[in-house]
Amino acid sequence: MAEHLDQSFEDSAMNSEEKRKINREQRTQIIAFAFMIGLTILAFLAVGAEGLPPIFTTPFILLLAFVQLILQLYYFMHLKDKDHGWPNSFMISGLVLAAPMIVALIMLLGVVKY
């Protein structure tokens, strides 16, 4: 290990294919981050706009939040990688179990409220 101390990092650590893969991953994450900032700005604009009706604004913001959640899980939590099969299966099974329960609770609250 001590014999490679005089070499620069680019020469000793990674080959060109690994560097290219890391650069591609960084570029993808920067684009995803910029897209999420855009979604956040869009949500702020939707809330700040006085002409939009609240019946449109709330589902629109929830849709933007859902898209942002999926992007964050996919790109920043590395669920797109091949070795994340178990976390992906747990996330999908959690969504399959939680979604009907949330819909049932919303319907129950809607029935009781009106």
Side-chain angles (χ1 to χ4, degrees), residues 33-94:
F33 180 72
F35 187 68
M36 284 189 269
I37 293 295
L39 289 177
T40 303
I41 290 171
L42 198 59
F44 276 115
L45 290 176
V47 170
E50 295 178 5
L52 293 176
I55 195 145
F56 169 76
T57 305
T58 304
F60 181 67
I61 290 173
L62 290 175
L63 176 69
L64 291 177
F66 182 74
V67 169
Q68 196 164 9
L69 171 74
I70 297 300
L71 284 175
Q72 286 184 3
L73 287 175
Y74 191 73
Y75 287 109
F76 296 117
M77 300 302 287
H78 300 282
L79 290 182
K80 64 181 178 0
D81 294 340
K82 290 181 180 178
D83 56 344
H84 288 81
W86 281 107
N88 284 342
S89 63
F90 284 128
M91 296 278 290
I92 291 170
S93 64

Side-chain angles (χ1 to χ4, degrees), residues 1 9 11 29 43 49 54 62 66 84 89 91 97 103-104 112-113:
M1 182 170 173
F9 182 71
D11 292 338
Q29 287 189 354
L62 290 175
F66 182 74
H84 288 81
S89 63
M91 296 278 290
L97 291 175
V103 169
V112 171
K113 186 176 179 182

